[in-house]
Amino acid sequence: MAGKDAFGTQFLRDTTGSGSFAVVGNVTDITGPSRAREAIEVTAHDSPNRYREFIKGLKDGGEIGLTINYDPANSTHAALDADFEEDDLRDYQLVILPGDADEHTWDFSGLITALGDAYPTEDKMERTVTVKISGMPVLTATG
């Protein structure tokens, strides 16, 4: 098979701080996690064949990006405002292929670093959300 349809993917937030997760409604697009790793250059005058040399550096859990059909009356959208204002990290989940035999879940702690709302004259209201992952995101087969 060449690929899988991502329809139905869910973004969830821990509502209580004790592992009780709720789906954030009306999410249209999700990106990430966009993990990265530093490459530390260790090139020296005696590096073989005049090629730069590198060693592995710190890893970055990356970010999750969301686009939402924004509704200010939706409690899960208002909760994102509260998440942005709080000082502590919050636990989140990204559930891929929910209910499918190939279901997988990303679990991570993070903080909302950006909220952007748009109110166009000829289109729907929209919100973009950026969640910065703190630490290592963990992908688990849950199906």
Side-chain angles (χ1 to χ4, degrees), residues 23-129:
V23 174
V24 174
N26 296 314
V27 176
T28 60
D29 290 305
I30 304 170
T31 60
S34 53
R35 298 173 290 161
R37 182 175 208 149
E38 291 180 8
I40 300 170
E41 186 174 351
V42 294
T43 306
H45 288 288
D46 58 351
S47 291
N49 303 309
R50 298 179 58 99
Y51 274 85
R52 295 185 186 280
E53 294 181 286
F54 297 88
I55 59 173
K56 295 177 180 181
L58 292 174
K59 295 177 265 187
D60 185 329
E63 295 179 338
I64 299 287
L66 306 173
T67 304
I68 298 172
N69 289 332
Y70 182 52
D71 176 359
N74 183 312
S75 64
T76 62
H77 298 180
L80 296 174
D81 288 306
D83 291 358
F84 177 80
E85 294 297 333
E86 69 188 2
D87 293 330
D88 295 328
L89 296 175
R90 181 168 294 274
D91 290 335
Y92 296 98
Q93 291 181 329
L94 185 62
V95 181
I96 305 161
L97 304 170
D100 190 280
D102 289 332
E103 178 180 301
H104 283 71
T105 300
W106 281 105
D107 287 287
F108 54 92
S109 294
L111 61 145
I112 294 180
T113 58
L115 290 174
D117 298 338
Y119 311 99
T121 58
E122 296 186 19
D123 204 355
K124 63 188 178 293
M125 290 191 293
E126 193 170 80
R127 170 172 274 186
T128 56
V129 181

